[in-house]
Amino acid sequence: MLHKHHSISVLDCEKTFPCRDGGTVFSALVSSKTGVMINGCRGGGCGVCKIEVLSGAYDVDGVMSRAHVSAEEAAAGTVLACRISPKSDLVVRLRGKLRPSSVSH
Amino acid sequence: MAITGVTRPGHAQLRVLDLEKSVDFYKNVMGLVETGRDAKGRVYFKTWDERDHNSLVLRQSDQAGIDHFAFKVLDRATLERLDSDLRAYGVATERLPAGEMLGTGERVRFEIPTGHIIELFAEKDFVVGRDRLVNPTPWTPQSEHGIAPLRMDHALLYGPDIDGNVKLFTEVLGFSMPEYVEHDDDGSKIAVWLTCSNKAHDIAFARYPEQGKLHHVSYLLESWEKVLRAGDVCSMHNVKLDIGPTRHGITRGTTIYAFDPSGNRFETFCGGYQCYPDWEPIRWPLSELGAGLDYPQRKLHESFLTVVT
């Protein structure tokens, strides 16, 4: 690979995805086309890409809506995947509402 | 058809997570004109072709979403009548004085059953220049800057009690319902398109478990080619598209959905049909919602149902 990559291990589906250094965790999960992540707003506003980072280092770029991530959560590693890029391999758990029962009754 | 009562959408006030980033987006990607900033830090915009002082207001916040959506009514007497009608119907209303928003007269504010704040006003300053009123040119340098829509056209809002909204908007505010989506089994309404004019929609609502959510604010373009150009402008600025370019089965508009820097969805669209209030509404079973949303692909994009601010 031309670019340095980190691996993102998603515990919920026991799969690991490559993430380009400098790319967002959200982009890595969506572009995997595995359905592990749905297309979200990519702007820190909608909360569908909420994850908990269990291990690894990452940079935060941009603001996350307080409607989805409280200050306490952010400090403890719960973030929006569209706002972070990995600095090392990450182990994460999905925390977003991927399939709300809004219209399925 | 005479347009009386509630005449049209007036403005949307959105919450943004990074004000200057958002101002840059709405000026240079959407191509709106900044018309002022107030003491509360809110920033006001209109499209190049709109005459009223503002149709979009941005407010810095730690949460994305919509503060309120407002409609312009015919005149002050209409504003007084509708306020009185709302109270008689059992809706609590509140007055905001003229000038609380730049260039905007007194507003009547109330909450609707889906938890959204709706406002009515009769007066907004005209900021159109004489050159647009006498021998106007069909386009201007501003009309070519960014996406540059003709007008802020409608919004789609998500919340639980859309039946309550339909009742309020049709029985008190004079709207009619050109189209709706209903559940195949029990016939309950899943989404509704409402109009106060002969546009296919001036506001729409879809059922969602949480109160007060924004799906999108929509901007009108002149042609399908301009919708494609909007897609180009988004790509040139690295703004990823959500859905489209495609055509909705519902309302028949051609469309692109994408997101502003805070994740508030916007639509740039063209077309759709003109309708009249005596028409029987068009019904879409939920099982056909994919065609209603994206007719060529008949695809019910997952983000349409789940991604809101």
Side-chain angles (χ1 to χ4, degrees):
Chain A
M1 297 190 214
L2 289 172
H3 301 279
K4 187 179 172 188
H5 281 69
H6 303 288
S7 67
I8 313 296
S9 301
V10 181
L11 289 185
D12 311 70
C13 61
E14 299 181 337
K15 284 189 178 134
T16 297
F17 305 93
C19 181
R20 212 180 107 171
D21 189 62
T24 66
V25 170
F26 172 82
S27 293
L29 299 184
V30 163
S31 60
S32 74
K33 308 254 184 214
T34 57
V36 66
M37 179 65 68
I38 68 162
N39 214 351
C41 79
R42 301 167 190 259
C46 77
V48 299
C49 66
K50 188 172 178 177
I51 58 170
E52 184 181 355
V53 181
L54 301 170
S55 73
Y58 55 87
D59 283 339
V60 176
D61 181 21
V63 188
M64 301 174 218
S65 172
R66 280 278 175 263
H68 302 294
V69 179
S70 69
E72 296 73 29
E73 282 181 313
T78 294
V79 293
L80 299 182
C82 70
R83 293 308 214 195
I84 68 162
S85 53
K87 291 281 103 188
S88 72
D89 293 348
L90 300 182
V91 177
V92 307
R93 202 188 287 279
L94 302 176
R95 287 283 181 251
K97 37 169 191 177
L98 292 177
R99 213 66 174 102
S101 58
S102 53
V103 297
S104 54
H105 277 225
Chain B
M1 182 181 120
I3 296 180
T4 61
V6 179
T7 65
R8 60 177 181 270
H11 63 260
Q13 180 169 310
L14 299 185
R15 296 187 295 272
V16 296
L17 301 173
D18 181 329
L19 187 65
E20 289 313 320
K21 209 169 158 182
S22 303
V23 168
D24 180 65
F25 171 84
Y26 281 103
K27 276 169 87 163
N28 297 314
V29 181
M30 187 64 82
L32 304 183
V33 180
E34 183 180 331
T35 55
R37 298 190 181 214
D38 69 18
K40 293 180 175 172
R42 291 178 296 186
V43 186
Y44 295 69
F45 298 90
K46 65 184 273 297
T47 72
W48 70 276
D49 204 33
E50 283 171 336
R51 301 181 178 197
D52 289 353
H53 179 275
N54 58 75
S55 60
L56 174 70
V57 186
L58 300 182
R59 180 173 74 84
Q60 171 76 47
S61 172
D62 63 5
Q63 303 181 7
I66 188 164
D67 279 336
H68 66 262
F69 192 77
F71 293 93
K72 190 172 195 184
V73 306
L74 188 64
D75 52 24
R76 283 208 59 90
T78 305
L79 188 68
E80 296 301 329
R81 176 178 63 77
L82 289 171
D83 188 5
S84 153
D85 291 351
L86 283 163
R87 286 166 184 269
Y89 183 80
V91 175
T93 64
E94 177 190 350
R95 297 279 182 134
L96 288 103
E100 195 279 335
M101 269 180 55
L102 290 186
T104 306
E106 188 178 27
R107 288 132 64 206
V108 171
R109 171 181 285 188
F110 53 99
E111 185 176 330
I112 58 174
T114 47
H116 299 92
I117 303 299
I118 298 293
E119 294 184 349
L120 306 176
F121 65 91
E123 294 155 339
K124 205 175 290 257
D125 292 349
F126 290 126
V127 293
V128 61
R130 290 304 298 171
D131 61 332
R132 302 306 303 155
L133 295 176
V134 180
N135 294 328
T137 56
W139 53 276
T140 70
Q142 185 62 47
S143 73
E144 308 307 297
H145 178 69
I147 294 170
L150 295 170
R151 68 171 180 239
M152 191 279 286
D153 187 87
H154 65 269
L156 169 56
L157 306 176
Y158 275 32
D161 183 13
I162 62 171
D163 299 320
N165 284 6
V166 170
K167 195 163 152 45
L168 174 63
F169 276 78
T170 56
E171 292 182 13
V172 185
L173 300 176
F175 285 60
S176 57
M177 183 174 67
E179 303 203 30
Y180 63 96
V181 176
E182 69 173 19
H183 198 276
D184 294 56
D185 300 331
D186 61 18
S188 61
K189 292 209 170 40
I190 302 298
V192 295
W193 283 257
L194 302 175
T195 183
C196 60
S197 61
N198 65 349
K199 293 154 58 185
H201 51 343
D202 285 299
I203 195 163
F205 299 105
R207 192 188 299 279
Y208 190 76
E210 292 171 64
Q211 293 268 95
K213 293 296 179 184
L214 170 67
H215 187 275
H216 70 262
V217 174
S218 185
Y219 292 88
L220 177 69
L221 299 175
E222 209 166 8
S223 66
W224 164 234
E225 192 170 7
K226 294 266 181 170
V227 175
L228 297 178
R229 182 180 170 281
D232 294 340
V233 172
C234 285
S235 184
M236 287 158 70
H237 290 85
N238 202 26
V239 174
K240 297 256 187 329
L241 303 187
D242 177 31
I243 298 175
T246 187
R247 180 216 275 277
H248 292 311
I250 298 167
T251 74
R252 302 205 305 249
T254 54
T255 178
I256 287 174
Y257 286 145
F259 298 98
D260 81 0
S262 305
N264 295 312
R265 192 188 277 97
F266 66 87
E267 177 183 43
T268 56
F269 88 106
C270 172
Y273 56 85
Q274 285 79 49
C275 62
Y276 295 92
D278 57 323
W279 285 9
E280 182 180 340
I282 293 169
R283 179 176 67 89
W284 294 81
L286 180 56
S287 55
E288 292 295 326
L289 181 54
L293 173 63
D294 183 339
Y295 200 79
Q297 298 193 78
R298 303 189 84 85
K299 184 176 173 189
L300 182 47
H301 300 260
E302 195 167 28
S303 61
F304 181 77
L305 300 174
T306 52
V307 176
V308 292
T309 55

